[in-house]
Amino acid sequence: MTSQLEKTILYAIALAAALAAPWLFPNFATQIAFLWMMVLFALTWDIMGGQMGYNSFGNIFFFGVGAYACAVVQRDSGLDYFTAFAVGMALAAVIGVAAAAILGSGMLGLRGHYFAIATLGLGIAGGEIASGWDYIGAGSGLETPLYPGEIGAREMFFAYLFFVLAVASFIVLTRLYAGRFGLAINAIRDDEDKAEAMGLHTTRYKTVAWCVSAFFLSLAGGAAGNMIGFIDPRDVAFAGVTFGVWMVLMAILGGKGTIWGPVIGAMIFHVTQELFWTYLLGWQRVALGLLIILIVVFFPLGILGWVRERWPELFDDTADEAGAVERRVGEP
Amino acid sequence: MDSLLILYDQPVRLLQIVVDGLLVGSIFALAAYGMALVWGVMNIINIAQGEFVMLGGFVALYVAEAGFSPLFGVPLAAVILYLVGWVLYRSVIFRVVDKDLFISILATFGLSILLQQLANQLFGADVRTAESGLETLVLLGGKLTVAEIKLAAFALALLLGGGLFTFLRHSRLGQAIRATAQNARAARIMGINTDRVYATTFALNAAICGAAGALVAMTWVVHPYLGLTYTVRAFMIVVVAGLGNLAAVIAAGLGLGAAENFAGFVLGAEYQAAFVFSLLVVILVWRNFRLGRQRRYLK
Amino acid sequence: MTGLLEVESLTKTFGGVVANDNVTLAVPEGAIVGLIGPNGSGKTTLFNSIVGYHPVDHGSIRFDGAEISALRVPEIARLGLVRTFQQTRIYGQMDCVRNMLISVPHAEEDLWTMFSPYPAETTERAGELLEFVGLYEKRYMRAGELSFGQQKLLEFAMALMNAPRLLLLDEPTAGINPTLINDLIDRLKRANAEIGITLFVIEHNMRVIMDLVEHVYCLAHGELLAGGAPQQVRQDPRVIEAYLGGQ
């Protein structure tokens, strides 16, 4: 594709644009924050569904867990805002990863469709349990403390925070995909029986993949809870009908199983979603269901997947010696 | 755990809970039977199963609001949902029958969202009941109350299930369906139009769910977001009972109904849904664990 | 009898059908042993039982002295018992090199090595083995796009990459162009002689059996009919009847 130098320049430009955006368009800071949150959603879904072949309909569970964990720390710790927030985020990540490890030990032994439906149950169960648990506010939800700062500072803060989280998840995932880990989860996707027959520690890889997802999702939850100011168990924390569904849609739209696919899908979805909401209101959700069907049935490769099929040269999918460059797995 | 103490003091309450649970469980079993049918014949796990139930419920609701007895809603819902199922097969489902399971799960997932939100837009999010106007039976000297409508629903559910079973056993189309379930390729070679079989199976499933939904609307409530709990219940029952065993499906359905009702009583009504969804996870994990010890997987 | 692999009184039924009936055999270390029998005699079922693909009803399976009949597929594979599939299974979306890399032995892998890159020796070994089976020029091609015969060779190379002690091959020459079978037999022999892998091979092609194996077992109707040197077994009247006679 492009040379190393061209790539670096492109990355630098994109980075600069992303960093400047909230500063240039302060009125859109919250929208920008949500944009990066969507990117994170799509990426963390894709490692499971796209790269590993384990469609999870319940990733929102970790987002909700993170949101509540952080908010509870902020409510009960008595520390100042930023310290409490930092501690809360740390705890969110720890609990999220622990939840993934524990749940994963039981649920990741399930194959394909059983896993998908089990996670569906998990996501909803999270919302239902949270709605009844008084310690975290039950149906009334939980409030997060007010951001200490002038008007506009909070939006900027979260715009940059989500940017950092999204970029961090992107970097971590691309590094994983480039190495042994990526091969392993792709093998699990392509033929799990074969992978097992060759002695691969499939459960271990599956669990780690889910833990990585959970890590970023719970951090996103903690941040989102603070940005929105209020955590409702079913509409914000364990928002299966909105965020949970979007996670799936965005990754598939952009091209599941690719690195940039989920990013592109998230960006396109977020931008168009605003338009749809203005014109369609409640019908937007109907359209989303329809969109999932259309994409899954007619356009399963997604945008990037389709591009890859049409122009494989762009992706180094060369067929033989002549076009190939000696490559080592594990190098960036 | 005050509720457990209540049970200890008044054991007849336990009977009430169990009876109510069994009665509603028959409806769960019906939905599960349909799901098992589609799964066995077409290898599709229909995540929109609950939405068919929900739509059937709305049919009964509107029948009642139009002034008729919602009991007429049962056959009407069956007919309407049969058509809906047929249309859905011809437009969407037939494209995913031969694809891998991920695609069909994602497709029916999308369908579930579509139907759920469509219902929300068209019918509103309110929780409603289709009043049947039937009485409540009082038994055991006032200690046990059984709503007649629940008894009627129980009987109807069993009747419908039995009807479906007989149809599959004895009719030509039913035999064609069973043959396709066993070996689609062989069935095709024998001249069976498998595409027609698939369409009929899917439509039949929708009809059964629709009828079940009408029963639900009468005995309980209906609202646009009802679907997911029924999909999950049906799935759980099929996982526990297996694909081929109707008696097991009935038993599991009744058992689930009773268990759910019991949990609702002990944990509190607000946790009943949580119980259902958590139970799903527990059952799957437990089942897989048991099979794993014997070198097997849930497949 | 002793051997790297010992199967004793193994019985496996599916519903009412007895697929393996009281089978007892052994594969000595370093040997090349064959398994023949008419279609439906239970050969692949026997392999599946050995590698842990399904539970066995009765009997014992010992690998290097240890009982494995209750172990699961990945555990058995990590002990050094690997199999190839009759339908040839490879990772279609990845290129050949990646197929090879992911096939390294996993017994020693821990949480740390999961994230580290492959050492240079591993990539070199992958290249060597691809060369060994004649796929070096095609190494960056997507495995799904290889021809059937090439995929079989890739699967074989992947199995070698896994450095097993015992390799179960299910019909390795099926579907291969007859002119290329000699090459494959040669490679199998070399894998056995140079790398030291014990081979247990299901085959339908008698010529391959005669040329390749030192000892062969014959299954029919789930039972072990005969076992011995290829020449002997081939002339055993029961074996001849099993193949030619009514089923």
Side-chain angles (χ1 to χ4, degrees):
Chain A
M1 194 182 159
T2 50
S3 73
Q4 205 50 33
L5 182 62
E6 284 174 36
K7 258 193 191 169
T8 317
I9 294 180
L10 277 172
Y11 275 123
I13 295 177
L15 199 65
L19 282 170
W23 196 69
L24 291 172
F25 307 105
N27 291 332
F28 288 98
T30 305
Q31 285 309 315
I32 292 174
F34 272 116
L35 174 70
W36 297 122
M37 191 170 85
M38 294 297 135
V39 169
L40 187 147
F41 279 169
L43 285 170
T44 50
W45 186 86
D46 194 60
I47 180 177
M48 298 296 293
Q51 296 280 350
M52 201 164 80
Y54 272 69
N55 290 317
S56 167
F57 292 128
N59 268 8
I60 193 70
F61 182 79
F62 305 112
F63 180 80
V65 163
Y68 274 112
C70 188
V72 167
V73 166
Q74 291 177 291
R75 179 188 70 187
D76 294 342
S77 67
L79 299 164
D80 69 276
Y81 183 85
F82 286 105
T83 319
F85 182 56
V87 173
M89 288 284 268
L91 187 69
V94 167
I95 295 184
V97 171
I102 294 171
L103 289 167
S105 68
M107 292 172 74
L108 286 166
L110 297 164
R111 287 298 180 87
H113 41 285
Y114 292 97
F115 178 76
I117 297 183
T119 53
L120 190 62
L122 181 70
I124 310 285
E128 294 297 320
I129 292 175
S131 297
W133 194 4
D134 291 319
Y135 178 65
I136 54 175
S140 315
L142 209 57
E143 259 184 37
T144 48
L146 210 52
Y147 183 85
E150 56 204 39
I151 311 262
R154 172 217 234 190
E155 283 73 23
M156 296 289 277
F157 174 72
F158 284 105
Y160 283 110
L161 179 60
F162 274 108
F163 175 66
V164 167
L165 286 175
V167 168
S169 66
F170 182 81
I171 291 177
V172 167
L173 288 177
T174 37
R175 296 240 60 196
L176 285 177
Y177 295 158
R180 192 187 299 227
F181 192 85
L183 280 195
I185 59 178
N186 286 158
I188 291 173
R189 174 193 61 195
D190 288 352
D191 197 333
E192 187 164 1
D193 278 338
K194 175 71 180 177
E196 287 200 335
M198 299 295 281
L200 192 74
H201 289 278
T202 49
T203 313
R204 199 187 279 175
Y205 278 98
K206 290 193 268 191
T207 311
V208 171
W210 218 16
C211 287
V212 170
S213 286
F215 177 77
F216 288 107
L217 282 167
S218 45
L219 286 176
N226 273 273
M227 181 172 74
I228 296 172
F230 176 72
I231 301 175
D232 178 282
R234 289 198 193 90
D235 293 335
V236 175
F238 300 98
V241 187
T242 49
F243 297 155
V245 172
W246 298 348
M247 288 179 187
V248 181
L249 180 57
M250 294 186 289
I252 300 180
L253 174 65
K256 66 176 189 169
T258 62
I259 296 174
W260 284 99
V263 176
I264 293 174
M267 289 185 168
I268 293 179
F269 177 77
H270 184 68
V271 168
T272 55
Q273 196 218 6
E274 283 305 302
L275 294 170
F276 277 129
W277 186 253
T278 314
Y279 290 110
L280 295 177
L281 293 179
W283 290 92
Q284 178 208 31
R285 297 194 182 170
V286 179
L288 281 179
L290 187 60
L291 200 58
I292 293 180
I293 297 175
L294 290 175
I295 295 177
V296 163
V297 172
F298 296 110
F299 197 47
L301 294 173
I303 295 172
L304 220 57
W306 178 77
V307 169
R308 191 193 225 172
E309 289 292 307
R310 275 304 278 325
W311 299 283
E313 326 79 63
L314 292 176
F315 289 85
D316 294 332
D317 275 356
T318 47
D320 56 40
E321 183 85 18
V325 169
E326 197 67 42
R327 279 172 263 155
R328 279 265 307 270
V329 175
E331 294 185 50
Chain B
M1 291 291 111
D2 311 316
S3 22
L4 283 175
L5 285 173
I6 296 178
L7 282 182
Y8 185 70
D9 277 338
Q10 303 165 33
V12 74
R13 293 261 250 167
L14 182 63
L15 188 63
Q16 178 79 57
I17 293 169
V18 170
V19 166
D20 277 335
L22 289 179
L23 293 178
V24 75
S26 62
I27 303 179
F28 298 164
L30 202 56
Y33 192 22
M35 181 177 252
L37 193 62
V38 169
W39 191 346
V41 175
M42 302 162 67
N43 201 31
I44 285 181
I45 298 178
N46 183 22
I47 298 195
Q49 188 82 348
E51 269 67 38
F52 292 156
V53 173
M54 179 266 293
L55 289 174
F58 274 104
V59 169
L61 192 69
Y62 284 108
V63 164
E65 291 197 355
F68 303 101
S69 164
L71 283 167
F72 288 119
V74 179
L76 187 61
V79 168
I80 293 179
L81 266 298
Y82 187 91
L83 293 170
V84 168
W86 184 275
V87 167
L88 284 174
Y89 176 82
R90 286 272 165 239
S91 53
V92 176
I93 305 293
F94 83 95
R95 299 179 201 270
V96 299
V97 171
D98 294 321
K99 304 267 177 67
D100 68 61
L101 216 43
F102 293 148
I103 296 196
S104 63
I105 286 206
L106 286 171
T108 51
F109 175 70
L111 186 62
S112 141
I113 301 286
L114 172 66
L115 293 174
Q116 183 191 84
Q117 295 301 328
L118 200 59
N120 194 27
Q121 287 298 111
L122 294 175
F123 308 133
D126 297 330
V127 175
R128 287 134 62 172
T129 307
E131 293 300 336
S132 58
L134 289 181
E135 311 279 294
T136 304
L137 290 176
V138 177
L139 307 169
L140 296 186
K143 296 212 188 115
L144 185 67
T145 56
V146 180
E148 276 187 0
I149 184 61
K150 288 191 182 175
L151 275 175
F154 181 79
L156 279 172
L158 289 183
L159 203 68
L160 285 165
L164 183 60
F165 182 77
T166 319
F167 170 76
L168 289 174
R169 250 297 139 83
H170 299 295
S171 75
R172 289 217 64 185
L173 192 49
Q175 286 169 348
I177 291 176
R178 279 164 51 228
T180 309
Q182 292 205 8
N183 190 332
R185 202 188 297 166
R188 237 171 273 145
I189 293 175
M190 298 295 281
I192 292 177
N193 183 343
T194 49
D195 187 59
R196 195 107 190 284
V197 165
Y198 291 152
T200 310
T201 307
F202 198 76
L204 262 181
N205 173 48
I208 280 286
C209 289
L215 296 174
V216 170
M218 293 189 286
T219 56
W220 197 34
V221 293
V222 64
H223 62 95
Y225 293 94
L226 186 78
L228 195 53
T229 40
Y230 276 86
T231 301
V232 165
R233 286 175 182 129
F235 186 73
M236 272 198 279
I237 294 169
V238 173
V239 166
V240 169
L243 285 179
N245 194 340
L246 180 59
V249 166
I250 295 178
L254 298 180
L256 178 62
E260 218 186 278
N261 229 28
F262 185 73
F265 182 77
V266 170
L267 299 171
E270 69 272 21
Y271 276 121
Q272 187 158 338
F275 173 76
V276 175
F277 292 108
S278 309
L279 188 64
L280 169 69
V281 178
V282 169
I283 284 182
L284 285 176
V285 172
W286 176 249
R287 199 65 200 271
N288 204 48
F289 180 69
R290 287 269 311 282
L291 289 177
R293 289 176 149 265
Q294 306 157 31
R295 275 181 164 189
R296 283 198 284 244
Y297 292 109
L298 217 53
K299 280 208 161 105
Chain C
M1 38 172 94
T2 53
L4 184 57
L5 177 73
E6 288 158 20
V7 173
E8 196 180 317
S9 310
L10 189 73
T11 304
K12 172 68 187 171
T13 48
F14 290 108
V17 181
V18 183
N20 292 137
D21 193 355
N22 208 8
V23 175
T24 299
L25 50 81
V27 177
E29 179 143 27
I32 305 182
V33 175
L35 184 63
I36 61 173
N39 279 324
S41 50
K43 307 188 295 293
T44 301
T45 306
L46 183 64
F47 267 22
N48 286 340
S49 299
I50 294 172
V51 299
Y53 200 64
H54 53 222
V56 299
D57 297 331
H58 181 266
S60 150
I61 306 172
R62 287 183 296 277
F63 182 65
D64 203 13
E67 181 67 42
I68 62 169
S69 56
L71 293 182
R72 308 240 284 240
V73 171
E75 294 166 328
I76 293 177
R78 287 193 285 269
L79 288 175
L81 207 177
V82 174
R83 63 91 66 92
T84 61
F85 292 86
Q86 201 172 354
Q87 323 94 302
T88 306
R89 293 168 85 150
I90 41 111
Y91 306 114
Q93 303 297 317
M94 297 191 236
D95 63 37
C96 297
V97 173
R98 289 183 160 85
N99 268 265
M100 295 297 289
L101 290 174
I102 195 58
S103 300
V104 291
H106 291 99
E108 298 299 315
E109 196 182 74
D110 56 33
L111 275 178
W112 188 248
T113 49
M114 267 171 104
F115 302 108
S116 42
Y118 290 109
E121 308 91 62
T122 307
T123 319
E124 271 162 38
R125 181 93 182 113
E128 276 166 28
L129 287 171
L130 283 173
E131 173 75 54
F132 180 69
V133 298
L135 286 174
Y136 191 75
E137 285 77 39
K138 302 235 177 328
R139 67 190 184 286
Y140 291 120
M141 205 158 145
R142 251 205 211 172
E145 275 151 40
L146 294 172
S147 73
F148 177 73
Q150 289 166 335
Q151 286 182 0
K152 265 193 125 64
L153 289 170
L154 177 61
E155 194 188 22
F156 178 50
M158 284 161 70
L160 294 178
M161 187 80 185
N162 206 251
R165 293 182 59 193
L166 171 62
L167 181 54
L168 269 49
L169 294 138
D170 201 335
E171 300 198 31
T173 66
I176 300 258
N177 191 319
T179 55
L180 299 173
I181 289 186
N182 281 332
D183 279 339
L184 186 53
I185 296 178
D186 187 53
R187 289 193 175 100
L188 287 170
K189 284 187 184 167
R190 281 172 60 196
N192 173 258
E194 293 167 22
I195 310 177
I197 304 178
T198 308
L199 302 175
F200 191 16
V201 184
I202 292 181
E203 254 305 334
H204 268 302
N205 187 327
M206 278 308 154
R207 181 170 77 78
V208 171
I209 290 288
M210 301 308 297
D211 195 359
L212 180 65
V213 313
E214 306 149 12
H215 191 103
V216 65
Y217 291 103
C218 178
L219 283 185
H221 309 300
E223 292 174 341
L224 187 66
L225 216 51
Q231 280 295 358
Q232 267 178 274
V233 170
R234 186 204 209 181
Q235 285 155 4
D236 189 317
R238 293 170 301 170
V239 171
I240 297 175
E241 219 235 288
Y243 271 96
L244 299 177
Q247 267 182 224

